[in-house]
Amino acid sequence: MRRKAVVLALSLLILCLIPASMFAQGTSQATESEVGPIWTHITEFTNSFDISSSGLAQFDTSLYARSNVNKVVIDASIQQYSNGSWQTIKSWTSTSNTNSGYLLKKGMS
């Protein structure tokens, strides 16, 4: 019995010490139903979104990419869930020919 406990403890120790391999899904494998940024060359990203008590929306997004990036495009949209699907109410795009981008919109209702 003691031998089985020692073997079990050593097996668990070995499993804990072996690093687990993880692989990210390639961008070509992503489907349209998956939502989220692809962080390949992004070094910093900030985003805030707020709806005031009067119903006005505001968002502020900034993005910084690696120094070898020469164009940043930020696409943003506000959507509303209605009748079983998401409907785009308004959308914006900000394009910068540098490695950083910024998009600020205030007072949208």
Side-chain angles (χ1 to χ4, degrees), residues 43-55:
T43 58
E44 184 180 339
F45 170 77
T46 60
N47 187 59
S48 66
F49 178 77
D50 183 57
I51 299 177
S52 69
S53 59
S54 62

Side-chain angles (χ1 to χ4, degrees), residues 50-99:
D50 183 57
I51 299 177
S52 69
S53 59
S54 62
L56 296 178
Q58 172 180 325
F59 68 87
D60 183 1
T61 302
S62 63
L63 184 142
Y64 299 91
R66 296 178 192 255
S67 60
N68 63 336
V69 171
N70 59 14
K71 184 177 184 179
V72 171
V73 178
I74 299 173
D75 289 319
S77 63
I78 293 182
Q79 295 181 325
Q80 181 179 29
Y81 192 74
S82 177
N83 298 323
S85 65
W86 288 97
Q87 305 297 319
T88 299
I89 297 170
K90 191 129 179 153
S91 60
W92 303 268
T93 299
S94 171
T95 302
S96 172
N97 291 316
T98 66
N99 69 327

Side-chain angles (χ1 to χ4, degrees), residues 6 11 13 19 35 40 42 50 55 65 76 78 105:
V6 170
S11 298
L13 179 64
V35 176
T40 310
I42 298 171
D50 183 57
I78 293 182
K105 292 295 175 185

